[in-house]
DNA sequence: CGCCGTCTTGACTCGCCTCAACCTCGGTGG
DNA sequence: CCACCGAGGTTGAGGCGAGTCAAGACGGCG
């Protein structure tokens, strides 16, 4: 087993209040793993055997309807815990987690969860703060889906990704992981055709630039306008 | 202060594992309150000063968009904790809670939250289980809003209310609190006109009976069919 | 009795989905 | 090196679901 460096965890909220020795303990219990794009970390409905920390990359959380269409529930950015079903009294995963791009994760067996909560100061509190943020995000999406038109929803989806994983580049802000029109349609409850039309239009207006599976937003401010006003 | 009976709490999950003396302690710290229909228990954005247990009635959780339209995030049935912002690292309430019908609640100051979690065996675990269930429900609604047509969404909304607070009556299952067409439209992201048309049609087909602000579903099975299939 | 909140119903409109055809890129194998 | 192929993307035409506009009925409450 290759030795993991303590600095990996020391800046991450759930572990921030821990000392070096504690972090060492935790790291020694972890199993690191690499996942390629599109690889699943765990599947919806499977027994929740491990919980994870995303060290690098982006995780795409997906649910599949009985009817067969997929929808993207949320994206998870580096530094966040995921697959924390045990924290919420679940014994199976409620959704599928796949690597949106190449990912580096640490995993622990669920049986360690109670120990972590009990033993490590602030772990529970910080974790539930993250849960709270996810709930907020879900709430916002519900409101969005219920009240806004497709154009605004797509704008919101882009902005959300920019905020969570956007990286500044010379001509704007870039979405750091591969993303297709179809993906965006699965996030917004629309079709890839409509998304394609919208992005084409926005590209003509100079709001963004896109190559295949790759988007750079050059005028985020404009996108914010689009996301809020119906005009 | 009128003395509250211990049996109020002994059957409710977060308190189930506690003994009589502990429940007594908790009750003595609680402030009981009654709310009339449409009265707000707390408002979105307000400082989260208390958390609550719903003893009787139904709570309607509402969010208001910048654009001014309201959407109903979820309903809370008797026996559930709500306003548990502190558990999720919030210091303001993320939504408004109003009484869907007459309600009886117990309230505690948030500063007691950490004490409850620490002192009472199983309180935290059971509470987070409830949080997990709410997350599931929200997830389902997201999928629903993103993939299903209006008719199916309305059917789902009705079924959800039946499951949570439905009461058997001689000719079917009744929704136990006052509910308008407009309310249903706020739950499903549609208009009261469309809801009205759907309910009229269903009433003609013998699936339900409705008076003003009052619905009895006479053929739940049929409603399940409608909620799943596009036909 | 008159008002207001609730509900109904019709007619029209339009946003977005569906259907369909085609293009472009990037990888793979002969 | 090129031919092929599949995934990803674009764009047009047409239709329908559901929103909007409009008018009114019903019932309860002050």
């Amino acid at each position: 087993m290759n030795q993991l460096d303590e600095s990996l965890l020391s800046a991450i909220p759930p572990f921030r209040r821990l000392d070096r020795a504690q972090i060492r303990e935790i790291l020694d219990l972890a199993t690191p793993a690499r996942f390629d794009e599109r690889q699943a970390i765990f599947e919806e409905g499977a027994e929740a055997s491990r919980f994870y920390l995303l060290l690098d990359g982006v995780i795409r959380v997906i649910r599949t309807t009985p009817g067969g269409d997929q929808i993207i529930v949320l994206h998870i950015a580096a530094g966040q815990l995921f697959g924390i079903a045990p924290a919420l009294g679940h014994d199976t995963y409620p959704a599928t987690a796949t690597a949106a791009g190449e990912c580096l994760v640490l995993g622990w067996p669920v049986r360690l969860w109670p120990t972590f909560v009990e033993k490590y100061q602030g772990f529970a509190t910080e974790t539930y703060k993250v849960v709270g943020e996810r709930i907020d995000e879900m709430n916002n999406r519900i409101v969005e889906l219920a009240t806004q038109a497709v154009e605004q929803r797509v704008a919101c989806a882009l902005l959300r990704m920019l905020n969570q994983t956007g990286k500044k580049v010379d001509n704007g802000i870039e979405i750091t992981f591969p993303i297709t029109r179809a993906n965006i349609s699965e996030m917004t409850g629309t079709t890839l055709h409509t998304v394609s039309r919208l992005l084409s239009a926005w590209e003509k207006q100079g709001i963004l630039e896109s190559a295949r599976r790759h988007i750079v937003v050059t005028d985020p401010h404009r996108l914010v306008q689009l996301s809020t006003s119906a005009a």
Side-chain angles (χ1 to χ4, degrees), chain A:
Chain A
M1 185 206 234
N2 54 356
Q3 187 80 341
L4 298 158
D5 193 275
E6 285 109 8
S7 65
L8 283 176
L9 297 191
S10 56
I12 291 174
F15 307 104
R16 194 174 280 158
R17 304 190 206 166
L18 305 183
D19 63 37
R20 213 176 164 73
Q22 290 177 311
I23 289 179
R24 187 72 261 154
E25 281 173 16
I26 290 173
L27 280 173
D28 287 343
L29 292 166
T31 312
R34 208 189 62 87
F35 291 89
D36 285 325
E37 192 184 333
R38 276 168 234 253
Q39 230 183 321
I41 290 87
F42 54 77
E43 301 275 351
E44 180 175 350
E47 191 203 348
S49 54
R50 309 178 77 80
F51 63 95
Y52 300 90
L53 175 70
L54 181 60
L55 289 176
D56 193 40
V58 174
I59 299 286
R60 185 168 287 149
V61 180
I62 297 173
R63 290 192 117 200
T64 306
T65 68
D69 23 31
Q70 299 192 335
I71 88 123
I72 297 176
V73 178
L74 46 75
H75 283 106
I76 291 167
Q80 293 192 21
L81 289 170
F82 66 102
I84 49 178
L88 302 167
H90 283 125
D91 48 4
T92 63
Y93 297 114
T96 297
T98 64
E102 191 181 323
C103 280
L104 241 49
V105 309
L106 294 180
W108 295 269
V110 287
R111 65 180 157 74
L112 293 178
W113 183 269
T115 317
F116 276 36
V117 168
E118 189 192 338
K119 193 167 173 186
Y120 302 115
Q121 185 55 264
F123 178 78
T125 314
E126 291 295 333
T127 299
Y128 286 119
K129 202 176 281 185
V130 172
V131 172
E133 282 161 20
R134 292 227 187 118
I135 290 181
D136 284 349
E137 185 180 331
M138 288 171 62
N139 255 320
N140 288 334
R141 288 198 60 201
I142 289 176
V143 172
E144 220 176 279
L145 283 165
T147 64
Q148 301 194 315
V150 166
E151 183 176 38
Q152 293 156 59
R153 299 209 300 268
V154 173
C156 284
L158 287 179
L159 288 171
R160 206 174 304 117
M161 287 187 285
L162 289 185
N163 286 330
Q164 288 172 349
T165 67
K167 203 181 73 180
K168 279 206 178 68
V169 290
D170 48 354
N171 56 339
I173 305 175
E174 180 189 10
I175 293 175
T176 55
F177 55 94
I179 183 139
T180 67
R181 311 291 188 256
N183 287 331
I184 297 177
S185 75
E186 285 161 7
M187 301 176 62
T188 52
T190 180
T191 62
L192 78 159
H193 307 278
T194 301
V195 173
S196 177
R197 282 183 239 272
L198 283 172
L199 294 194
S200 294
W202 291 345
E203 187 147 17
K204 280 199 188 86
Q205 294 171 48
I207 298 175
L208 53 80
E209 291 167 15
S210 77
R212 59 164 37 201
R213 321 210 304 143
H214 191 83
I215 296 176
V216 177
V217 175
T218 51
D219 190 350
H221 183 63
R222 195 69 221 294
L223 209 54
V224 172
Q225 290 180 343
L226 284 170
S227 74
T228 51
S229 80

